Amino acid sequence: MRRKLAVTAVTLLVACGLSACAGGGNAKKTGGSGDTTVDTEKKVSKKDRVLSEAVDAEKKVKGARIETRFFVKHTGDGHDNTVSYKTKTEYTEKPVTLKSDASIRFQEGARDNKYVLYYDGKDLYNTAMIGLTQGRSYRQAIDSAQSNYRFIVQNPNIARDYLEVMSDNKVKFNLKEEGGEYALVFRVPENPSDRLKKELLEVLGRDDATAKRLYSTDLKNVSFTNATFNVHVDKKTYEPKSFGLEMTTVVSSASGRKFTTLHSFDGKYYDVNKVERQKMPSRVDEVLK
């Protein structure tokens, strides 16, 4: 009886040993062959994490100083039309206050028109610049102001809109590390989904009135070429540091004519959530509708 028990015990030990060896071998094999998979998952999860953190950080921007250069060029129907801006803007969102030193050029080769624009969420205050001296300030309801002025004061943080569109539509992007920053570089596919196309056109349509009219057409009439958007964020806080966009659209009409529009802008953030509310001009002339 004792001999049978001893044999049984030895058999169990051998079986357990073999099982352990097999398990250990499998674990090692899995670990060895799975290293690439694990590394890939880490890379993918890092991209997803950085994007998620960047989107969240962007939503938390409630005020900043942003310097932006913006350019749009329409080509088609026998003529070109361009408009460009350079702005240095300080704004807060709660309450809505904004001051922007703006230079607007309504045609390539023309001189810059300089303004100081203020906005309180309801009215636009336009202080014309005469030489280097501030001129008189004019106040008018924002809905009656020129579209160029509305764009400048109502979209101080335009990069947020593009980042959300790219994230919501899962547009593929490359992630790079540059010094103390992450660079997220998105490229719109040649055949974007109708949802992505629609949302991009809505954001682009805020750039100027001409673009908005062009994009009021069937989605199938619009195509994108060389469409990229990038945003650089701090590696520790994920706060935005800079951004840029290059996007060309082609709109085809029923008669076969084509209208090409180049949208290009870039900008930098400073003093995120450290900007104080702006004071509106106290002495102004009213602009009638």
Side-chain angles (χ1 to χ4, degrees), residues 49-286:
R49 176 177 58 79
V50 171
L51 175 58
S52 177
E53 294 281 5
V55 171
D56 288 343
E58 185 65 88
K59 291 178 180 178
K60 294 176 182 176
V61 176
K62 302 303 179 185
R65 181 164 58 91
I66 300 180
E67 295 183 4
T68 306
R69 294 183 304 174
F70 175 84
F71 177 84
V72 60
K73 180 176 182 177
H74 303 286
T75 304
D77 202 22
H79 69 278
D80 296 344
N81 179 42
T82 65
V83 62
S84 59
Y85 311 84
K86 291 181 181 178
T87 64
K88 294 182 179 179
T89 301
E90 295 185 13
Y91 77 99
T92 60
E93 291 186 356
K94 293 182 179 181
V96 174
T97 67
L98 176 145
K99 175 186 176 183
S100 183
D101 291 304
S103 297
I104 305 177
R105 182 175 296 183
F106 294 100
Q107 186 63 45
E108 283 186 283
R111 68 179 181 85
D112 290 338
N113 296 276
K114 298 182 181 296
Y115 307 89
V116 178
L117 304 174
Y118 296 84
Y119 181 53
D120 61 6
K122 177 183 178 183
D123 294 323
L124 172 77
Y125 300 80
N126 182 349
T127 301
M129 300 293 287
I130 302 174
L132 297 177
T133 306
Q134 283 196 11
R136 303 168 76 175
S137 295
Y138 300 89
R139 176 171 62 190
Q140 66 183 128
I142 190 65
D143 60 357
S144 64
Q146 291 185 25
S147 61
N148 297 313
Y149 301 149
R150 289 201 301 271
F151 166 70
I152 291 174
V153 300
Q154 291 186 306
N155 299 274
N157 190 4
I158 191 171
R160 175 189 294 167
D161 295 335
Y162 287 98
L163 181 58
E164 290 184 352
V165 169
M166 299 296 174
S167 175
D168 291 346
N169 288 275
K170 303 186 186 308
V171 176
K172 292 183 179 180
F173 68 98
N174 291 327
L175 179 66
K176 302 178 182 179
E177 295 186 32
E178 300 179 359
E181 299 177 1
Y182 287 121
L184 294 80
V185 183
F186 299 85
R187 182 173 293 278
V188 177
E190 292 184 3
N191 297 305
S193 66
D194 285 348
R195 176 189 170 188
L196 174 56
K197 185 183 290 190
K198 179 176 182 293
E199 293 182 2
L200 278 176
L201 293 179
E202 287 176 350
V203 179
L204 290 170
R206 298 172 197 163
D207 294 350
D208 72 322
T210 302
K212 187 173 183 178
R213 289 195 298 272
L214 277 175
Y215 300 145
S216 298
T217 183
D218 195 309
L219 292 177
K220 67 181 181 181
N221 296 331
V222 185
S223 61
F224 293 88
T225 61
N226 302 320
T228 62
F229 169 74
N230 71 79
V231 61
H232 291 236
V233 302
D234 186 272
K235 286 180 68 173
K236 294 182 179 180
T237 66
Y238 298 96
E239 285 185 350
K241 305 293 288 185
S242 62
F243 54 88
L245 175 138
E246 292 288 334
M247 198 166 293
T248 300
T249 63
V250 179
V251 179
S252 303
S253 68
S255 61
R257 293 183 299 172
K258 292 186 176 182
F259 301 86
T260 302
T261 303
L262 167 64
H263 299 268
S264 175
F265 70 75
D266 60 80
K268 294 183 177 181
Y269 291 82
Y270 304 91
D271 302 325
V272 173
N273 293 329
K274 297 178 181 178
V275 173
E276 296 182 356
R277 60 185 297 180
Q278 303 298 310
K279 293 183 179 180
M280 301 297 107
S282 56
R283 299 182 63 182
V284 298
D285 294 325
E286 303 293 338

